[in-house]
Amino acid sequence: MRISEFAQHRRFLAAVGILLFLLVFLSVFLYSLPKETVLSPLKTALARQGIDFSCEDAGISFPSGIVCRKCALTPRGGVPLFLDRAAASWEWTGLIRWLPVHLRAQRGAMSLDIRTSPMVSDPAKVRLRLASVGSEDVAAFLSPGAGTGFLIDAADLQWKKSSPGGITGAGEGSLSWLRFPIPATDSPVREALLRNVKLKFVVREGTLHISSLTGTYEGSAVDGTGEIARFLTPSLSAVTFHLRIQNPLEGRIATLFNMVAKNAKNANLRVKGSLLSPTGEFQFF
């Protein structure tokens, strides 16, 4: 009995040793591959999406990933988006949450972190995290309209497919500032700049429903709700925000809009348009 157990123990150790040897051999082989060989699958995948990719340095990251440094993503006919570092990896531990694909990008303080289900081109589940992302950072792919801008401090969004063509999820985010134009000819200001914006939202059937939005405008507190339909397609999206300016009879707001002359006690800010070209309208009553 003891001899049998000893033999089984030796076979187990031998199997572990062979597995470790194969892992080391595979790692050495992958690390020795030329840069172009490593990048070829990534370039091909991005080219199918109409994006050209280049980088100065690339290599394999243990155990199953690609790391690129000083790279550029260029949409066809557009300007390049330069990144300090970009990485793509398959993480076996991510299978527990069905998010094994991990994509990361960094440029200075800006960072983008995406985890998806295996089918990256049409994922069933996604987790997206953003940090220090401004409108200038995404201008190569999403060109905001004149007077529109933002700086996202942090955002965390998760969604999954709930039915054919529909997705559900939830998230929250914070922005240092959010700016959009005020086109009304009788407005004393040509743009609205909200600061310290915080929002919470849910996603239902492709529409992002904002249950809470808070911030400040010209020193006065702002709160409200809204929604963004078709938010995953910014050019086709539809934004509707209903915001209330608190205490509009005090401070700079009262002076700016001459609230006494308007004989109004309440001030609202309505935002509509697309994600790329929202516009604001002040309402007094």
Side-chain angles (χ1 to χ4, degrees), residues 62-190:
F62 184 83
S64 54
I66 301 174
V67 177
C68 304
R69 298 174 182 84
K70 295 183 179 180
C71 46
L73 295 166
T74 309
R76 300 284 166 77
V79 296
L81 170 63
F82 295 103
L83 299 172
D84 297 331
R85 185 177 186 274
S89 61
W90 175 278
E91 299 178 356
W92 293 102
T93 55
L95 287 171
I96 299 173
R97 295 168 294 171
W98 199 236
L99 294 170
V101 180
H102 192 188
L103 309 173
R104 289 155 291 166
Q106 292 178 313
R107 186 177 75 172
M110 182 206 78
S111 68
L112 169 68
D113 188 294
I114 305 174
R115 295 178 184 270
T116 81
S117 52
M119 188 66 71
V120 180
S121 59
D122 187 21
K125 190 176 181 182
V126 176
R127 178 165 188 172
L128 170 65
R129 286 177 171 171
L130 305 174
S132 301
V133 177
S135 46
E136 294 181 356
D137 295 316
V138 299
F141 292 87
L142 302 172
S143 299
T148 301
F150 60 84
L151 176 58
I152 299 173
D153 288 330
D156 191 338
L157 170 61
Q158 299 183 67
W159 75 81
K160 62 181 180 180
K161 286 187 176 180
S162 56
S163 61
I167 61 173
T168 59
E172 59 184 13
S174 61
L175 297 86
S176 288
W177 54 269
L178 172 63
R179 184 184 65 236
F180 43 84
I182 307 294
T185 56
D186 60 346
S187 174
V189 296
R190 307 315 304 165

